[in-house]
Amino acid sequence: MKKETQIVSLGRDKKWTNGVINPPVVRASTMTFETMEDMHFAAKNKTNGALFYGRRGGPTHFAFQAAIAELEGGVGTALYPSGSAAISNALMSFLKAGDHLLMVDSAYEPTRALCDSLLAGFGVETTYYDPMIGAGIKDLIQDNTKVLFLESPGSITMEVQDVPTLCKIAHEQGVVVMLDNTWASPINSRPFEMGVDISIQAATKYIVGHSDVMMGTATANEAHWDQLRENSYLMGQCTSPDDVYLASRGLRTLGVRMAQHEKNALQVANWLATRPEVDHIRHPAFETCPGHEFFKRDFSASNGLFSFVLKEGNSKSLTALVENMKHFKMGFSWGGFESLILSVSGIDKIRTVTKWDSSKPLIRLHIGLESPEDLIADLEAGFERFNAVLNK
């Protein structure tokens, strides 16, 4: 079955939908039972889709979980109220005091903050590693290393990791591999075929697609699903059926949206590559992006999120560039239908292994579903403001 057909078809089993095209919103905290036998059956099968208690989920949840698990290629999917919650709960489900975590140096900043504060307080030691380390990861694995965490491409700077190599070496040492797979969404890579044990999505981004729901997912393979599911349940994680419905609805258009995001972003990125102000493009589909060769091997397509690095700039000129845009808005998320722009500073302060030249400013863009010609005109006007201030 092709991805486009899967996206439309998955999660619509009649046992959850009763034949309705969209899985209905079922709001419930308490499930009632007619007999003791019914109650015992529900308790025995509470992890296999039986209605047991609201925090375990209901038909709305089960339909969406089944769709995400199958799209990503895993056995089961746990739901969380945000992408950060998915990351933190996945990590805490497999780490305890005295354990060692290997965390990619290009990770999403809240992930790093979690490692340096909460996990450190729990007695978990974190070692950061260069995202391009490849087979060299073997030298960093300790006797107490329990988890290797990947984010590919990396947050902001977009390094693409050699996921199959990292997974192979980690598994040789009995280490669980987790991947923040949000950039690819559930359709543009096959994490479990590459060896990943747990694939994490900030569903807030492309799955929901409309900038109106916070949600995270973590999908596990057979060996790790029970532990992820039960520990997440013990930590009280659950999601609103209304939010799940919106995520499920967004999922149905994921394929066409991603294709348009990719097309628009490549047009804008190719235009930016011709600009005299631009040093290089940090888009996985460009040779100037670290790990481009792994993108070509491991991804089926790209999306709307990328960065570009300027040859020079200062606070005033960067402010002139990003302020007063007509179509681009400043915002910290991405994955919705709208275009976003951020001037990112202080990258060198959130890296402990890899070096970053802070003299060359970085701009991150999310290219939405607007006309790319209009977006290019917006950026062109921004560069005019940038140059006017820079050359004063």
Side-chain angles (χ1 to χ4, degrees), residues 17 28 30 41 60 66 141 178 190 277 312 316 320-321 348 367 376 384:
T17 67
T30 302
F41 176 85
T60 313
I141 295 177
M178 300 182 185
R190 299 295 291 173
E277 302 89 348
E312 59 180 334
K316 288 184 178 179
L321 171 60
D348 55 320
I367 304 301
I376 287 171
E384 291 177 4

Side-chain angles (χ1 to χ4, degrees), residues 20-265:
V20 177
I21 291 294
N22 284 319
V25 179
V26 179
R27 303 180 185 92
S29 60
T30 302
M31 318 297 182
T32 61
F33 310 97
E34 293 295 323
T35 66
M36 290 293 290
E37 183 180 358
D38 290 343
M39 183 181 290
H40 290 154
F41 176 85
K44 185 177 180 180
N45 294 279
K46 60 189 176 186
T47 62
N48 294 313
L51 295 176
F52 177 73
Y53 180 60
R55 190 150 56 86
R56 287 280 183 184
T60 313
H61 302 83
F62 299 155
F64 179 67
Q65 288 170 292
I68 296 297
E70 189 164 339
L71 277 177
E72 290 226 85
V75 168
T77 295
L79 303 181
Y80 307 88
S82 69
S84 289
I87 292 168
S88 61
N89 278 267
L91 285 169
M92 288 190 290
S93 291
F94 290 86
L95 293 168
K96 64 181 185 306
D99 285 347
H100 176 240
L101 164 67
L102 283 170
M103 174 60 64
V104 63
D105 202 34
S106 54
Y108 179 49
E109 191 173 355
T111 303
R112 178 180 285 267
L114 171 77
C115 296
D116 294 344
S117 54
L118 192 62
L119 291 183
F122 288 161
V124 175
E125 177 191 3
T126 298
T127 297
Y128 294 97
Y129 67 92
D130 186 332
M132 309 312 298
I133 196 170
I137 196 70
K138 184 176 182 179
D139 297 331
L140 299 181
I141 295 177
Q142 304 174 10
D143 290 341
N144 62 335
T145 303
K146 294 298 187 293
V147 174
L148 169 64
F149 195 96
L150 320 176
E151 182 176 330
S152 184
S155 185
I156 301 172
T157 48
M158 311 304 291
E159 298 92 339
V160 184
Q161 296 188 259
D162 186 356
V163 174
T165 295
L166 292 164
C167 290
K168 180 178 182 295
I169 293 171
H171 290 157
E172 289 172 351
Q173 306 298 319
V175 175
V176 177
V177 180
M178 300 182 185
L179 168 67
D180 184 336
N181 195 39
T182 304
W183 192 88
S185 85
I187 64 171
N188 283 344
S189 75
R190 299 295 291 173
F192 296 98
E193 292 178 9
M194 292 188 284
V196 171
D197 297 306
I198 297 172
S199 178
I200 297 166
Q201 295 278 342
T204 307
K205 309 298 195 290
Y206 281 123
I207 293 174
V208 169
H210 292 76
S211 301
D212 54 4
V213 172
M214 301 290 292
M215 188 179 297
T217 71
T219 301
N221 59 17
E222 186 173 6
H224 299 89
W225 170 232
D226 287 350
Q227 185 168 338
L228 175 70
R229 180 193 63 227
E230 290 310 300
N231 284 349
S232 295
Y233 178 76
L234 290 174
M235 287 184 276
Q237 294 302 313
C238 59
T239 52
S240 158
D242 295 88
D243 287 346
V244 174
Y245 173 82
L246 289 173
S248 181
R249 189 175 185 179
L251 184 66
R252 304 306 175 189
T253 60
L254 179 62
V256 291
R257 286 188 289 106
M258 289 291 280
Q260 194 64 47
H261 282 297
E262 177 186 47
K263 181 181 178 182
N264 290 359

Side-chain angles (χ1 to χ4, degrees), residues 303-374:
N303 64 19
L305 187 75
F306 69 95
S307 299
F308 63 94
V309 176
L310 295 166
K311 293 175 181 175
E312 59 180 334
N314 54 41
S315 177
K316 288 184 178 179
S317 61
L318 292 170
T319 298
L321 171 60
V322 300
E323 286 187 353
N324 298 310
M325 298 293 259
K326 185 175 182 180
H327 302 295
F328 285 94
K329 307 301 178 185
M330 284 185 281
F332 288 104
S333 192
W334 48 273
F337 52 81
E338 74 287 355
S339 290
L340 299 172
I341 187 168
L342 279 179
S343 174
V344 184
S345 60
I347 296 174
D348 55 320
K349 295 180 176 60
I350 57 171
R351 299 292 175 89
T352 54
V353 179
T354 53
K355 294 183 179 179
W356 182 263
D357 184 357
S358 58
S359 69
K360 293 182 177 180
L362 180 143
I363 304 293
R364 191 183 77 175
L365 300 179
H366 177 254
I367 304 301
L369 301 180
E370 306 92 339
S371 163
E373 287 81 7
D374 289 335

